[in-house]
Amino acid sequence: MRFLVIPYCHRLELSAFFAPMSDEASLLAANAAYYRAFVAADPDGMAAIWGDEEICCIHPGWPPIFGREQVLASFREILRNPMQDPVLRRSERALLCGSEGRIVCIEMVGQAALVATNSFRLVDGAWRLVHHQASPLMVQSEPPPTPQAPPTHSLH
């Protein structure tokens, strides 16, 4: 019989890895999975995060889309567009109430900023996306970072 011996210094790291996530952390992880599928143009990954029943999606400028098949068809169309910029998230805020959770965040699509709400429902212990809505953000709540100019004079 073989045993895996783990040095004591690594035991804390492993216990943290196997510790159960808080509801907020698992909700944020589900939201991250949604955006990973977007960036990877992965329709299977996208399908895995969406719920099975009572789902809706409103893409910027599109009419509401209802039902799993129609929502996933819209994402397949978006994901296979070779000109689609990556959709990156920032400034996430989780809102939880029992088995319902929402993430409000900023999506960066190329140079465009969108405000998005992703609503999740806890189903069999996993957060499943049931509603996504994104719309253009005309006023930034936080200014974009200012590039640092190189010094124009030397201190030496």
Side-chain angles (χ1 to χ4, degrees):
M1 181 179 279
R2 302 177 96 191
F3 294 96
L4 176 62
V5 177
I6 301 171
Y8 181 76
C9 63
H10 294 290
R11 287 185 186 155
L12 291 176
E13 293 173 28
L14 285 175
S15 66
F17 180 75
F18 290 110
M21 280 198 250
S22 70
D23 286 343
E24 182 176 347
S26 63
L27 178 61
L28 288 166
N31 197 58
Y34 169 74
Y35 287 100
R36 271 195 310 276
F38 234 132
V39 169
D42 177 10
D44 294 332
M46 185 63 72
I49 195 67
W50 277 93
D52 293 324
E53 300 174 355
E54 300 298 319
I55 68 172
C56 177
C57 179
I58 305 173
H59 298 295
W62 292 31
I65 303 166
F66 296 94
R68 181 174 171 82
E69 291 309 313
Q70 292 80 7
V71 167
L72 293 179
S74 75
F75 278 99
R76 283 191 300 272
E77 184 179 327
I78 291 167
L79 296 176
R80 76 173 149 240
N81 176 359
M83 302 305 292
Q84 174 66 45
D85 286 321
V87 179
L88 307 172
R89 74 190 191 287
R90 67 173 202 195
S91 304
E92 296 175 296
R93 178 152 182 196
L95 305 164
L96 286 155
C97 185
S99 64
E100 301 284 327
R102 291 182 314 276
I103 302 285
V104 177
C105 64
I106 304 299
E107 292 181 350
M108 297 305 299
V109 184
Q111 296 299 313
L114 306 172
V115 63
T117 301
N118 298 320
S119 296
F120 293 83
R121 182 176 300 129
L122 199 54
V123 178
D124 297 329
W127 290 107
R128 304 292 300 272
L129 190 57
V130 294
H131 180 76
H132 166 77
Q133 183 168 355
S135 59
L137 182 61
M138 299 301 173
V139 178
Q140 295 265 353
S141 60
E142 53 189 64
T146 306
Q148 296 293 324
T152 57
H153 62 294
S154 172
L155 296 177
H156 295 281

